Amino acid sequence: MENKIKIVFATGNAHKLHEINEISKGSGVEFILPPKGFDPEENGTTFEQNSYIKAKEASRLSKMISLADDSGLCVEALNGEPGIFSARYAPTPQARIDKLLANLAESGNRRAKFVCAMTLVDESGNILTQQIGECHGKIAKNQSGTNGFGYDPVFLIDGYDGLTLADMSEEQKNKISHRFNALNKIITYIQENLRV
Ligand code: ITT
């Protein structure tokens, strides 16, 4: 029986937890939800700061090694918006997509990237490592696909022939996403330093 290391994943977003447990399958690491009462104020000004705030709060509550993911969509023609405000851009996932498409309606430049900043802290909240993952593409004119979450139905990833992330299977997305790129580096750190 594999002896897994358990790490708290500091999130209230079940989609993220599902994706990171899929990406890390077979690595010897299992991510679990934070204790009840986890509700940090994300008042940082960068993805890195907000991921640290979340990881630190999870370790304070759990007294365990904790990882957080702060992520979002940065659109060139909107000066990087919605960025760290991606989850708060409008009240519902569909309203956020509608607002994004409306704000880009007149723009000839639809380039965008997803960014994921991950911070791993020890049981006392000290930073062990911080890693960034990105994936690049552009915003579709119309939404397509039902997989994934958030802005996936309007994100056309470079090199995948007009497919949005929501058109792709979960397995495909999890091999190329910003979250995959950040988590891979975190897993390597854990395997090299925390004796999985
Ligand atoms: P936690 O803070 O509790 O982890 P959250 O959803 O509020 O959950 P963030 O503050 O990091 O997380 O905001 C991330 C938002 O960025 C997310 O709600 C989506 O709108 C968007 N996003 C991030 N990763 C995404 C992905 O893989 N696909 C689509 N949208 C994504």
Side-chain angles (χ1 to χ4, degrees), residues 129-141:
T129 185
Q130 200 165 50
Q131 301 291 340
I132 307 286
E134 293 189 350
C135 74
H136 295 249
K138 57 187 187 216
I139 304 301
K141 290 234 161 80

Side-chain angles (χ1 to χ4, degrees), residues 102-121:
N103 285 345
L104 275 180
E106 306 297 321
S107 175
N109 175 11
R110 304 186 75 89
R111 296 293 307 163
K113 65 179 177 181
F114 271 120
V115 178
C116 175
M118 288 191 170
T119 305
L120 185 72
V121 301

Side-chain angles (χ1 to χ4, degrees), residues 13-177:
N13 181 332
H15 295 284
K16 284 187 185 176
L17 179 69
H18 177 70
E19 285 191 2
I20 73 148
N21 272 325
E22 285 297 315
I23 294 167
S24 60
K25 252 189 195 153
S27 68
V29 186
E30 182 185 351
F31 294 96
I32 60 172
L33 279 171
K36 279 209 169 66
F38 175 74
D39 188 19
E41 192 186 348
E42 293 181 42
N43 55 10
T45 56
T46 62
F47 292 115
E48 289 90 333
Q49 282 175 12
N50 281 338
S51 68
Y52 172 56
I53 289 167
K54 290 188 270 191
K56 194 167 175 225
E57 175 62 1
S59 76
R60 188 185 71 79
L61 291 171
S62 65
K63 308 279 179 278
M64 287 174 66
I65 296 174
S66 302
L67 176 71
D69 157 329
D70 199 67
S71 45
L73 179 68
C74 302
V75 180
E76 266 186 23
L78 303 178
N79 300 317
E81 283 183 6
I84 62 166
F85 301 107
S86 293
R88 297 167 267 176
Y89 197 45
T92 65
Q94 187 59 53
R96 295 194 268 279
I97 287 177
D98 293 343
K99 180 173 174 183
L100 177 67
L101 293 180
N103 285 345
L104 275 180
E106 306 297 321
S107 175
N109 175 11
R110 304 186 75 89
R111 296 293 307 163
K113 65 179 177 181
F114 271 120
V115 178
C116 175
M118 288 191 170
T119 305
L120 185 72
V121 301
D122 69 13
E123 297 85 342
S124 309
N126 303 304
I127 295 180
L128 295 170
T129 185
Q130 200 165 50
Q131 301 291 340
I132 307 286
E134 293 189 350
C135 74
H136 295 249
K138 57 187 187 216
I139 304 301
K141 290 234 161 80
N142 300 297
Q143 71 188 81
S144 171
T146 54
N147 294 329
F149 70 100
Y151 299 89
D152 284 344
V154 289
F155 192 81
L156 295 164
I157 187 160
D158 287 345
Y160 285 82
D161 215 16
L163 286 185
T164 69
L165 283 178
D167 289 323
M168 290 184 172
S169 67
E170 204 175 273
E171 291 75 23
Q172 254 182 313
K173 176 184 173 185
N174 285 338
K175 283 183 194 151
I176 51 177
S177 72

Side-chain angles (χ1 to χ4, degrees), residues 132-135 175-185:
I132 307 286
E134 293 189 350
C135 74
K175 283 183 194 151
I176 51 177
S177 72
H178 49 311
R179 190 156 293 107
F180 167 84
N181 289 323
L183 189 58
N184 238 352
K185 295 181 247 183

